[in-house]
Amino acid sequence: MPDSYHSHTSPMSKHHNNNNKSSAAAWIITDGFLFLTGVILALLLFCSFWSLYNPNPNTLDPLVITRNPENPESFISPNCNNGVNLRHDPLDKTFYDDSEMGYTLETKIENWDQKRQLWLKHHGSFARANDRVVVVTGSQSSPCKNPIGDYLLLRAFKNKVDYCRLHGYDIFYNNVLLHPKMTSYWAKLPVVKAAMLAHPEAEWIWWVDSDAFFTDMEYTLPLKRYKGFNLVVHGWPHLIYYDKSWTSLNAGVFLIRNCQWSMDLIETWSNMGPISPDFHKWGEIQRSTFKNKLFPESDDQSALIYLLYSEKSKYYNKIYLEGEYYFEGYWLEISPTLKNISEKYLEIERSAPELRRRHAEKVSEKYAVLREKYLKNAGNARGSWRRPFVTHFTGCQPCSGDHNEMYTGQTCTDNMVKALNFADDQVMRKYGFVHTDLQKTSPVEAVPFDYPDEGPW
């Protein structure tokens, strides 16, 4: 019995020992797996809590949500406000804490580049947004003398707000004098300086006169072209240095970099205006230099041209004279082309279903990119059938009504309404409507599905 039992139980005993080894190995693997799983979960939990408490989240990650440092019970999504944290303003000292810093023209600003960089260092979400643009415009503080003037200014402002909304730009509208002596066309300079100080997050301040309208709502500034330059104006070098013309550039629309160079320029430029004791002298110098200047007093445009002309080595390499597209264009040459341009664009869309596709207003820039391949042969300035970027109604004076004697006030009004409706069509199309006639602001009509394709569907 014992032998028999042994003979039967021995193999079983040997098999039982094998199972113990296998079980031990399995337990080791299982324990290792559980340990590794625990480590991964711990890391995930750590990352989750880090993302909640980190005041400067990675804005490139669309899933990151950060806890508001000023109110721990609330959270901020970086997808709002273009990924910048509007509630983060640490107590670190910046130029705003300097009692000597002022916004007026008389207060000299020094070391602005360093001061601005320090502010950006403390506001990291803004520092990641290169080439931020703030549009600045405005009008007088009193009601218009021209009965239709306030209506036209309101529509002009709506036009700028529409453009800024489409492209994610901030906009500031000013209707007060920031300096009692700097009136009329000089009033823009104190506003631009104040905007530079109020918006250290902005790389560019873009001044646009109240009578200048965006008429290509898709076009965006070619900012890469202006790398190394600090001021962009519509102008032509040969008209400055050979013809010595006071209309060789237009100072009603300009793009100025938020930097120390620009602060210095504004100071020099302003000191040729009404705040200068030599104001009348500057008018005489400008008129003797630019023989076609029509009036004797110093003006902002002639002053800028004079700086370029008399100090070319100092300014020319930093001022970009844009003449390749309508950075701003004279309305008299643009207005007659608008109807034909509208028809050309509709013609393109009839053969391009990707451009007819309905889409949210927020993604409009995608369709601007898609349209570009159809505009290669359109040109970009005079004689072009591309939409003019900015149409400038110089000489019309819609608020005062004191228009240039070359044309009537009604001509100005009719063409301003036409240009505004031309631009508004590009906006209202995204809301499902278009104007029935460019000369009529209302009524508008609903556009059918797949407009402007004529079917059959």
Side-chain angles (χ1 to χ4, degrees):
M1 278 293 289
D3 291 340
S4 174
Y5 181 79
H6 180 76
S7 66
H8 286 287
T9 57
S10 249
M12 291 297 293
S13 296
K14 189 174 182 181
H15 182 65
H16 179 71
N17 289 336
N18 286 339
N19 275 346
N20 285 340
K21 292 179 180 180
S22 299
S23 297
W27 277 106
I28 289 170
I29 294 170
T30 303
D31 287 348
F33 177 75
L34 290 172
F35 176 76
L36 183 61
T37 302
V39 170
I40 293 172
L41 286 173
L43 286 171
L44 288 173
L45 283 170
F46 176 78
C47 291
S48 297
F49 281 109
W50 178 256
S51 70
L52 289 175
Y53 287 96
N54 179 18
N56 291 312
N58 176 7
T59 57
L60 297 179
D61 183 354
L63 298 179
V64 171
I65 297 178
T66 180
R67 188 182 292 276
N68 179 0
E70 296 182 8
N71 183 2
E73 300 304 318
S74 65
F75 297 86
I76 302 169
S77 167
N79 287 334
C80 298
N81 303 303
N82 296 320
V84 298
N85 191 339
L86 300 182
R87 297 186 180 184
H88 176 68
D89 192 20
L91 296 178
D92 303 81
K93 297 292 186 183
T94 70
F95 66 93
Y96 287 119
D97 300 295
D98 181 1
S99 62
E100 300 298 319
M101 192 279 285
Y103 297 83
T104 64
L105 286 177
E106 290 86 354
T107 306
K108 187 175 182 65
I109 302 296
E110 296 179 319
N111 302 315
W112 175 237
D113 295 337
Q114 293 82 354
K115 292 173 180 177
R116 183 170 165 252
Q117 284 304 313
L118 180 61
W119 187 92
L120 288 170
K121 178 182 177 181
H122 296 312
H123 299 78
S125 63
F126 290 98
R128 284 187 285 271
N130 298 324
D131 290 338
R132 288 180 70 90
V133 175
V134 173
V135 173
V136 180
T137 186
S139 61
Q140 72 297 316
S141 54
S142 58
C144 294
K145 290 191 299 182
N146 184 5
I148 201 173
D150 290 312
Y151 164 76
L152 291 173
L153 289 183
L154 176 63
R155 289 209 59 193
F157 181 48
K158 176 192 179 300
N159 167 263
K160 295 173 180 67
V161 170
D162 283 341
Y163 182 84
C164 291
R165 186 181 67 254
L166 287 168
H167 299 284
Y169 296 158
D170 290 329
I171 184 168
F172 172 61
Y173 188 96
N174 178 65
N175 68 337
V176 294
L177 282 177
L178 299 192
H179 195 291
K181 291 184 178 180
M182 299 291 273
T183 58
S184 187
Y185 29 74
W186 287 104
K188 69 187 75 165
L189 296 184
V191 181
V192 169
K193 178 182 178 179
M196 291 168 69
L197 293 167
H199 289 276
E201 83 286 357
E203 182 67 17
W204 295 97
I205 302 297
W206 189 5
W207 172 266
V208 184
D209 271 0
S210 60
D211 60 355
F213 310 151
F214 292 104
T215 40
D216 188 344
M217 305 302 277
E218 290 182 340
Y219 195 82
T220 54
L221 289 165
L223 293 177
K224 290 182 180 179
R225 180 186 300 183
Y226 307 137
K227 183 179 180 180
F229 293 89
N230 295 330
L231 180 68
V232 182
V233 290
H234 197 206
W236 302 267
H238 70 279
L239 293 180
I240 296 173
Y241 298 106
Y242 299 102
D243 294 357
K244 291 192 284 187
S245 170
W246 84 288
T247 58
S248 53
L249 61 78
N250 189 291
V253 178
F254 61 83
L255 187 68
I256 190 166
R257 193 181 294 277
N258 197 353
C259 65
Q260 184 63 49
W261 183 96
S262 300
M263 289 289 186
D264 295 339
L265 172 67
I266 289 174
E267 181 181 6
T268 303
W269 193 358
S270 299
N271 283 329
M272 300 173 77
I275 63 171
S276 170
D278 297 322
F279 178 55
H280 295 293
K281 178 184 175 182
W282 279 119
E284 294 171 1
I285 292 172
Q286 291 167 14
R287 202 167 192 189
S288 65
T289 306
F290 311 118
K291 301 300 183 183
N292 64 341
K293 182 172 164 59
L294 300 177
F295 47 92
E297 72 176 24
S298 174
D299 67 281
D300 65 317
Q301 182 166 296
S302 298
L304 182 59
I305 299 169
Y306 184 79
L307 290 175
L308 269 167
Y309 176 77
S310 61
E311 299 186 65
K312 184 176 181 180
S313 60
K314 182 177 181 179
Y315 292 107
Y316 185 70
N317 290 332
K318 289 297 180 181
I319 299 178
Y320 194 103
L321 297 170
E322 181 60 84
E324 295 185 27
Y325 67 95
Y326 280 122
F327 186 74
E328 64 82 43
Y330 187 35
W331 66 275
L332 270 181
E333 69 182 48
I334 288 174
S335 189
T337 69
L338 296 181
K339 188 173 186 298
N340 180 58
I341 290 172
S342 292
E343 291 171 353
K344 284 280 191 180
Y345 275 65
L346 290 176
E347 184 181 327
I348 288 172
E349 291 184 14
R350 290 187 183 100
S351 60
E354 69 272 23
L355 296 179
R356 299 197 303 269
R357 185 187 178 205
R358 291 175 175 173
H359 57 271
E361 186 182 65
K362 280 291 185 184
V363 296
S364 297
E365 286 193 355
K366 172 187 175 178
Y367 295 86
V369 173
L370 291 175
R371 194 187 305 276
E372 275 302 307
K373 67 179 181 181
Y374 298 100
L375 299 174
K376 288 181 179 178
N377 299 319
N380 222 349
R382 181 179 292 185
S384 166
W385 54 267
R386 178 190 286 268
R387 291 168 181 158
F389 186 30
V390 175
T391 303
H392 196 179
F393 282 80
T394 51
C396 276
Q397 303 293 326
C399 190
S400 68
D402 300 330
H403 55 83
N404 191 310
E405 294 180 358
M406 291 171 55
Y407 27 79
T408 67
Q410 192 61 47
T411 300
C412 282
T413 298
D414 290 346
N415 283 279
M416 291 176 89
V417 169
K418 181 180 179 181
L420 288 165
N421 288 342
F422 176 84
D424 200 42
D425 259 356
Q426 299 166 48
V427 176
M428 293 305 298
R429 172 82 175 273
K430 296 169 180 61
Y431 292 80
F433 296 85
V434 292
H435 292 87
T436 58
D437 186 335
L438 290 182
Q439 293 295 163
K440 298 178 181 178
T441 301
S442 61
V444 292
E445 62 181 5
V447 295
F449 180 76
D450 212 29
Y451 175 84
D453 189 27
E454 297 173 353
W457 297 282

